Amino acid sequence: MSKNKFAIFCILSTTGIFFYACQSEEEITYARYYTAGKQLYEKKCENCHGHDGAGLAMLYPPLTDSTFLKQNKEKLACYIKNGLQGPILVSGKNYEGIMPAQATLSDIEIAEIITYITNSFGNKQGFYPYQQVRDDLQKCRN
């Protein structure tokens, strides 16, 4: 490698390290949750809600309605963990499909999925910590 290429490599590497080091702990945690949530979404949710979160006909609602997600954020963990059946109104439409329970998912996995869906498909709602999942699941059990 020539001296110029090596110098450029060193500068770019140092810049990358500096950029990463400047991120807050919360930004790093958010990025980890988001990435893991995307992988879980692809395995557990995408088949019904779609790659783009658009849902499926009148069976499975879209995840693109930021208002619905924001208004029901404390219920999302319950929907994921316990499933959902019966009509649900999203974007002015009733959906009748049955969402199967994902009872084997841990609190952190649910938090990762919620972080992903509430920050994808046009949504920008920020980090959703696993402690919040634990609190929200306690509310839905009552």
Side-chain angles (χ1 to χ4, degrees):
M1 182 181 290
S2 73
K3 287 183 180 181
N4 287 341
K5 287 182 182 178
F6 182 72
I8 291 170
F9 172 76
C10 288
I11 291 169
L12 291 175
S13 296
T14 303
T15 302
I17 291 169
F18 179 73
F19 176 74
Y20 182 76
C22 289
Q23 291 181 313
S24 71
E25 184 65 33
E26 187 170 317
E27 289 171 320
I28 293 168
T29 303
Y30 166 82
R32 281 195 327 257
Y33 272 52
Y34 184 89
T35 301
K38 182 179 190 307
Q39 293 171 348
L40 286 164
Y41 177 85
E42 289 169 349
K43 289 180 192 173
K44 304 280 186 183
C45 314
E46 188 175 291
N47 195 43
C48 297
H49 292 286
H51 178 71
D52 58 358
L56 180 62
M58 294 305 291
L59 294 175
Y60 304 110
L63 300 173
T64 55
D65 186 336
S66 294
T67 302
F68 176 84
L69 293 176
K70 188 175 283 186
Q71 290 173 345
N72 293 280
K73 199 164 188 175
E74 66 184 28
K75 297 177 185 175
L76 297 178
C78 298
Y79 295 163
I80 294 168
K81 186 80 167 186
N82 303 322
L84 183 66
Q85 67 183 83
I88 185 170
L89 184 66
V90 179
S91 298
K93 297 178 185 171
N94 275 316
Y95 292 86
E96 301 283 340
I98 296 173
M99 180 172 164
Q102 298 295 324
T104 60
L105 290 176
S106 67
D107 292 354
I108 196 165
E109 290 172 319
I110 293 171
E112 290 165 345
I113 291 171
I114 293 172
T115 296
Y116 176 72
I117 65 173
T118 60
N119 290 283
S120 298
F121 319 122
N123 302 304
K124 297 288 180 225
Q125 297 183 26
F127 177 58
Y128 191 83
Y130 76 91
Q131 297 92 336
Q132 188 64 50
V133 169
R134 187 175 32 223
D135 293 344
D136 291 347
L137 289 174
Q138 285 298 319
K139 291 175 194 171
C140 69
R141 288 186 187 118
N142 297 332

